Amino acid sequence: LLVNLAEARECVDSLLELLPSMHQHTTDVEAALGPALEAAHEIMKPIGGKLSVFSSTLPSIGCGRLMNRDDPAKLGKPGEHKLLLSAAEYYKELAFRMSHVQISVDVYLFSRYYTDVATLNDLAKFTGGQTHRFPAYYDTKDGEDLYRLVTHSLTREQGWESVIRVRVGKGYKVTDFFGNFRLRSTDLLTVPCIDSNKAFALQMAVVEKGVESQCLSVQSALLYTTSFGERRIRVHTVCVPVTSFTSHIYTSINSPVVTALLFKQAIARVTSASFDKAREHVRKSVTSLLRSYSYTSGAYSTSQALELPDNLAALPLQCLGMLKHEALRDRNVLSDKRAAVHAYLYPMGLNEVEIAVRPRLLPIESLDGKSMPQELELTAASIDPSQCLVLDDGKSFMILVGNRVDPKWVNTVFEAMDAKSMRLRDLEENSPTELQLVYQVLDSIRTPFHKGTYVIADGTQDAAHFYGALVQDRTMGEQSLDEYMQFILRR
C-alpha cells in the first residue's frame, strides 16, 4: 500500500482521478476515521513521515467515534470553555503513538456542520502538525485556496524526526512551552516534522535568588533529518544582559514577541481555566506593564497623554486586538470556529500573530503599480466613501467598496452576483490593468493560509463584519484605543 511516488506516479494519479466516482452513489454516511488512522499508522510505522487527513463529517463508527456535543446555549456563559476541551483521549493517545514513530499529522476539515475540531486537533497538536478548517467547502469558492495550502504543505522544505532541547543559565528554569509538539521531558520537544511555519514559545522563571551574573544564557538545539537523509543539528544561543534598572527593561521589550507569547498563553488558559481568566490575563499583563512604565518614566507627568517609546507604541493596540479577536472575544462564536482559530494561531510565528491582532487596511482604488498603498489606521475615521479598502487579517481578505467609488472602476474589478453581492473578477491574460493591479497587491501579501476573498458593499448588513475588525474603535464590547489609553492613566 505504500509506494514510491516516482515509481508509481501513474497508479497514484489514476487513484486520485477515480476517487470522486468510487463512492458517489453510496448511501452510507458513517465515517470510520479512527480505523482509517490506525491503518495509516500501521503502514507508516516503519518509516514515519507526514500524514494528511481529509474529513468532511464527524467520526461516527469504530474507534475514535465522537458524539455531537455542540451546545450553542453555552456560548458566552461561564462553562463555554469546556466545549473546547478534548472529548476523548483516543486521538491524543493515537497522536502520542504516531509521534513515537515519527509521524506528523495535518488535519483538513470541510463540513458545514459540527465536527468537534477541538478533539480532532489533538492529532496535529501532539505530532507537530497543523489543523485547517474549510467550513461548508465548495470547490469553486475554496478549491484554489485548498490547492495552494496543500501544495505548500507538501513541497516546502521540511525537517524530519526532529527534537528540540532548550537550556537556560543557572538560577533560571523553563516553566512552560507553547506550540505543537510532544513534550518528552522537561526540556525536550519531539516534533516529527518541522518547517519554517512552526514557532515555539517558552516561559521562564527565576528559581535561585542572589545569582550574580551579567547575563542570562538561553540555548536551543534542533536535531533533524533533511529530506536527503542528512542528520543535522542547528544551535541558537543568546545571552541577554541582566540589569537592575527598570528603564533598561522597558527599552528592550519586543512588543511583537510579548504579544505572541501572551496570545498563546491566553489560548492555553482558555481550556485550563476559562475565557474570562484568559482575557483578564491579557488585559492585566499589558495594562500593568504600561502603567508601570508610565509611573517609573514619568511619561505622563506633563500631559494627560501617555507617551510610549517606539518599541512599546503598538502594544496597547495589540492588546485590544487580542481581546477583540474571535479567539478570545466575549461574543457568540461557535465552538468549532473558535477551536479552529485556536488551532491555527497556537503554533504560528510572530508575523501571523501580529497580522491577526492588528490587521492591515489598504486602499486599492488608485493603484499605480509601482509601490504598495499606504496602510491606514484601523478606525472608521479612516474610511472614505470614495475609496475601496482591503482588510487583511492573515486568514482572508475583506474588501469594502465605498458607495462613492467610481462605478466604472467597480464594474471593471468586480462582477455582481445578485442585487446585493459582488465578487472579485477572475484574473485572465487580457484582464484590464485595474484588475491586474488589485491582484498584484493581494498576491504580494497573500500567504498559503489565506482562505477566501469577500467583497462587501458599504452600507449593507455584511459591512458590520468589516467595521467590527477595526480594532482602534469601540467594538466587540471592548474599549476604543483612546479609551484604553485613558484607562491606563486613570488607575
Side-chain angles (χ1 to χ4, degrees):
L1 292 175
L2 198 62
V3 298
N4 183 290
L5 181 60
E7 297 173 356
R9 182 58 184 262
E10 290 185 5
C11 293
V12 173
D13 288 344
S14 177
L15 173 63
L16 293 175
E17 290 174 0
L18 287 172
L19 272 177
S21 60
M22 288 173 67
H23 305 285
Q24 63 179 342
H25 299 300
T26 184
T27 57
D28 189 352
V29 296
E30 303 292 349
L33 179 60
L37 289 169
E38 293 287 355
H41 173 256
E42 289 300 314
I43 293 171
M44 298 177 66
K45 184 163 59 174
I47 60 172
K50 177 190 284 287
L51 173 63
S52 297
V53 177
F54 299 83
S55 176
S56 60
T57 188
L58 189 71
S60 55
I61 58 173
C63 52
R65 177 174 180 261
L66 298 174
M67 303 295 291
N68 188 335
R69 61 189 178 112
D70 194 22
D71 188 357
K74 291 183 179 179
L75 300 182
K77 304 293 178 57
E80 179 185 359
H81 69 285
K82 295 180 181 179
L83 297 174
L84 302 181
L85 297 174
S86 180
E89 285 292 313
Y90 171 77
Y91 291 99
K92 181 178 179 180
E93 183 271 333
L94 177 58
F96 276 23
R97 284 192 280 133
M98 288 187 168
S99 176
H100 184 70
V101 293
Q102 305 298 337
I103 299 174
S104 177
V105 184
D106 284 344
V107 181
Y108 300 83
L109 303 173
F110 301 94
S111 177
R112 70 172 66 244
Y113 305 111
Y114 180 76
T115 49
D116 202 344
V117 177
T119 299
L120 296 181
N121 181 53
D122 281 352
L123 290 167
K125 183 177 180 180
F126 296 107
T127 63
Q130 180 82 52
T131 296
H132 307 280
R133 180 172 179 257
F134 290 81
Y137 177 88
Y138 193 63
D139 188 60
T140 56
K141 173 174 68 74
D142 303 304
E144 185 177 339
D145 294 328
L146 176 62
Y147 175 82
R148 186 189 311 110
L149 181 60
V150 174
T151 300
H152 176 72
S153 175
L154 297 180
T155 60
R156 63 188 167 189
E157 188 172 356
Q158 317 245 8
W160 310 92
E161 302 175 349
S162 60
V163 291
I164 302 172
R165 170 158 272 147
V166 180
R167 296 182 177 92
V168 295
K170 182 181 178 181
Y172 303 86
K173 74 171 183 178
V174 178
T175 58
D176 212 347
F177 289 98
F178 304 92
N180 283 3
F181 55 82
R182 178 190 172 193
L183 189 63
R184 266 176 40 187
S185 64
T186 56
D187 64 350
L188 186 66
L189 316 182
T190 298
V191 189
C193 180
I194 194 165
D195 55 73
S196 61
N197 295 123
K198 303 291 190 306
F200 306 91
L202 60 89
Q203 183 176 337
M204 294 186 299
V206 179
V207 293
E208 295 181 25
K209 294 184 179 180
V211 176
E212 295 185 2
S213 175
Q214 297 299 313
C215 65
L216 162 63
S217 299
V218 182
Q219 182 181 81
S220 68
L222 167 65
L223 180 65
Y224 68 100
T225 302
T226 69
S227 295
F228 301 101
E230 298 174 337
R231 198 65 174 160
R232 294 182 179 178
I233 187 168
R234 179 175 293 183
V235 180
H236 289 166
T237 305
V238 60
C239 292
V240 183
V242 175
T243 180
S244 57
F245 297 99
T246 55
S247 59
H248 294 171
I249 298 175
Y250 293 126
T251 57
S252 63
I253 289 174
N254 186 322
S255 64
V257 172
V258 170
T259 300
L261 179 59
L262 279 176
F263 213 7
K264 292 171 189 287
Q265 289 175 333
I267 290 173
R269 195 161 294 199
V270 165
T271 51
S272 65
S274 68
F275 276 102
D276 285 341
K277 291 185 178 180
R279 287 188 286 265
E280 182 61 23
H281 172 66
V282 171
R283 188 181 292 108
K284 185 176 180 180
S285 297
V286 176
T287 303
S288 297
L289 189 157
L290 296 177
R291 190 169 290 148
S292 175
Y293 169 79
S294 69
Y295 290 162
T296 58
S297 67
Y300 69 103
S301 58
T302 59
S303 70
Q304 288 302 307
L306 178 59
E307 297 179 5
L308 296 173
D310 291 343
N311 63 306
L312 293 179
L315 197 54
L317 185 58
Q318 290 163 334
C319 174
L320 292 178
M322 286 187 277
L323 296 173
K324 296 178 182 183
H325 196 275
E326 56 193 357
L328 297 179
R329 70 187 181 213
D330 187 18
R331 284 291 184 272
N332 291 348
V333 180
L334 295 177
S335 58
D336 256 4
K337 183 176 183 179
R338 186 100 76 171
V341 171
H342 288 186
Y344 167 74
L345 288 171
Y346 196 63
M348 284 299 183
L350 301 184
N351 293 337
E352 291 82 5
V353 174
E354 170 73 10
I355 196 67
V357 302
R358 192 174 63 163
R360 60 167 66 97
L361 183 63
L362 303 171
I364 57 172
E365 81 291 338
S366 301
L367 302 173
D368 59 12
K370 299 177 182 178
S371 59
M372 285 288 289
Q374 186 173 358
E375 198 167 327
L376 303 177
E377 292 188 357
L378 292 165
T379 172
S382 299
I383 297 179
D384 187 325
S386 63
Q387 287 185 315
C388 182
L389 305 174
V390 59
L391 186 82
D392 171 27
D393 65 359
K395 290 194 309 167
S396 63
F397 296 123
M398 281 196 292
I399 299 178
L400 184 73
V401 182
N403 50 32
R404 294 212 302 266
V405 180
D406 182 1
K408 182 179 179 181
W409 183 90
V410 172
N411 292 331
T412 300
V413 175
F414 305 105
E415 62 177 325
M417 302 293 291
D418 53 45
K420 296 183 178 180
S421 62
M422 296 179 287
R423 66 180 290 270
L424 189 65
R425 292 185 183 274
D426 294 329
L427 184 64
E428 299 175 354
E429 189 173 339
N430 58 347
S431 293
T433 302
E434 293 88 346
L435 182 61
Q436 293 182 32
L437 291 176
V438 170
Y439 270 97
Q440 181 179 315
V441 170
L442 297 183
D443 289 342
S444 68
I445 58 179
R446 191 192 309 272
T447 73
F449 307 104
H450 273 87
K451 302 169 189 165
T453 300
Y454 306 96
V455 182
I456 302 169
D458 199 5
T460 63
Q461 187 175 359
D462 290 339
H465 298 292
F466 189 96
Y467 284 94
L470 303 178
V471 294
Q472 284 186 223
D473 294 336
R474 171 182 276 274
T475 56
M476 304 301 169
E478 293 287 344
Q479 299 163 306
S480 69
L481 180 60
D482 290 340
E483 290 170 338
Y484 180 54
M485 299 298 284
Q486 289 301 315
F487 169 76
I488 294 172
L489 291 172
R490 281 200 305 269
R491 292 179 58 183

